[in-house]
Amino acid sequence: MKKFWILSILVCVMTVAIASCNVNSSGAAGNIVVASKDFTEQDILGELLAQQIEDTTDLTVTRRPRLGGSFVCHNAILAGQVDAYIEYTGTAFTAILKQEPINDPKVVHEKLKEAYSDQFNLEVMPSLGFENTFAMIIRGEDAERYNIQTLSESAQYTPEWRGGFGYEFVEREDGLPGLAKTYGLNFAQSPKTMDLGLIYQALIEKQVDIVAGNSTDGQISRLGLVVLEDDKKYFPPYEATPIVRKETLAKYPQLKTAINQLSGKITADEMRKLNNLVEGESRDIQTVVREFRQSQGLSS
């Protein structure tokens, strides 16, 4: 009974918090509520979605940045407290739908679209054009020296390299063990288990020669690093994709056209640069997004 009351209080607090924050950038309530998860890339994507809607329709947007993780955003959109947010297909497929990973991005997207429609009455829109997945990263100078672009090409050099990886990546079967088996990666020394916040510094200082990060990390662009292509498609796809309530799309038909204009507009390299502008150069997110939209011919 005590747990029930605690849970009830928490739900009420979250509901009040969400309801009290339904304002747009001008401080007024908006027609559409756009949420984002709690990290920089999502701040950028949420603002991109909001600007796109406001600039191409007569609708106003309530911004809900840093709402929380996938489960918080998912529950909020199901409850009608949020109309749209950007999700990653692999996360939705494995974490929300509890399905086994599938490597084909088209298959994942189609299965996700069907399941989200049937189970949640949500629309899975076309991908923004990039995915944020695990990435094996080396120094740019090494990529040039050895003339390598893919993980398959790196296999002949890994016996001379030192690896630096997070604990979870080392221990998970679908992390380093499976990756090493797929590509025949052998290291002369056991890879260093490192805090994720230190891997790029260790790579630049040549304490290690290859690390596992996220494919759109801003440090990759800022430090001149290179992401090795997962040419055997070992990692499941994590395409950035808008999720929208079907009730909202029916109420505002112009919304679908506006969001679809973002389809395929962002590459992984462009996302890395946007992340770096905000994290590395401390640029204002609204300005960064506005300039990007202008560069892509999305701004009216």
Side-chain angles (χ1 to χ4, degrees):
M1 181 62 71
K2 183 178 180 181
K3 290 182 178 179
F4 171 79
W5 283 111
I6 293 174
L7 181 60
S8 298
I9 292 170
L10 288 174
V11 171
C12 289
V13 169
M14 285 184 63
T15 301
V16 171
I18 291 174
S20 65
C21 292
N22 284 347
V23 295
N24 58 28
S25 57
S26 66
N31 305 113
I32 308 297
V33 181
V34 171
S36 57
K37 300 195 221 181
D38 48 1
F39 54 97
T40 300
E41 179 169 299
Q42 282 277 309
D43 293 338
I44 296 169
L45 295 178
E47 180 61 24
L48 174 66
L49 197 56
Q51 285 192 21
Q52 176 68 14
I53 294 168
E54 290 186 329
D55 200 41
T56 60
T57 72
D58 58 353
L59 302 171
T60 55
V61 176
T62 294
R63 290 154 171 82
R64 293 301 326 284
R66 302 274 168 156
L67 183 62
S70 290
F71 292 108
V72 172
C73 291
H74 181 67
N75 287 331
I77 200 170
L78 289 183
Q81 296 160 338
V82 166
D83 294 295
Y85 78 102
I86 306 294
E87 185 55 276
Y88 302 96
T89 54
T91 301
F93 194 69
T94 58
I96 302 297
L97 295 181
K98 308 295 184 185
Q99 299 296 305
E100 291 295 319
I102 295 177
N103 289 43
D104 189 323
K106 292 183 179 179
V107 173
V108 172
H109 191 277
E110 285 304 312
K111 288 182 175 293
L112 199 63
K113 186 177 180 67
E114 182 179 354
Y116 265 50
S117 177
D118 293 343
Q119 297 181 33
F120 309 128
N121 200 31
L122 298 175
E123 181 78 15
V124 177
M125 308 289 281
S127 165
L128 298 179
F130 78 95
E131 58 177 316
N132 185 352
T133 184
F134 282 119
M136 303 303 291
I137 301 162
I138 62 175
R139 291 181 289 272
E141 61 193 72
D142 289 341
E144 185 175 353
R145 178 187 300 120
Y146 300 120
N147 190 29
I148 55 176
Q149 298 177 330
T150 68
L151 277 168
S152 291
E153 292 170 343
S154 74
Q156 62 181 306
Y157 302 106
T158 54
E160 304 171 8
W161 288 355
R162 296 154 298 172
F165 311 115
Y167 174 80
E168 184 178 359
F169 186 76
V170 171
E171 294 296 319
R172 283 175 50 163
E173 183 59 35
D174 60 346
L176 181 60
L179 182 76
K181 182 178 180 180
T182 299
Y183 284 100
L185 306 180
N186 298 299
F187 295 92
Q189 305 174 17
S190 296
K192 292 183 179 180
T193 302
M194 308 180 66
D195 184 283
L196 292 177
L198 301 176
I199 59 173
Y200 292 115
Q201 180 181 348
L203 186 59
I204 289 300
E205 294 179 354
K206 298 188 177 181
Q207 298 172 17
V208 295
D209 303 293
I210 184 170
V211 300
N214 293 313
S215 58
T216 57
D217 284 344
Q219 295 96 317
I220 296 172
S221 172
R222 183 164 70 251
L223 300 174
L225 306 176
V226 169
V227 175
L228 294 174
E229 180 189 349
D230 178 16
D231 50 305
K232 293 186 179 180
K233 306 298 180 186
Y234 171 76
F235 295 119
Y238 289 90
E239 295 183 315
T241 304
I243 307 294
V244 189
R245 286 174 57 83
K246 285 194 170 187
E247 291 180 9
T248 306
L249 291 173
K251 184 177 181 180
Y252 304 111
Q254 66 270 44
L255 191 60
K256 192 166 191 175
T257 300
I259 295 175
N260 277 337
Q261 289 173 352
L262 296 174
S263 175
K265 288 295 185 179
I266 311 179
T267 65
D269 186 55
E270 287 168 336
M271 193 68 243
R272 282 192 287 270
K273 291 176 180 176
L274 293 175
N275 284 334
N276 181 53
L277 287 172
V278 175
E279 288 184 334
E281 300 184 16
S282 301
R283 294 279 306 281
D284 174 68
I285 290 176
Q286 289 190 357
T287 302
V288 167
V289 170
R290 189 175 300 111
E291 290 175 353
F292 174 75
R293 292 186 63 251
Q294 290 172 348
S295 73
Q296 298 295 313
L298 291 168
S299 183
S300 60

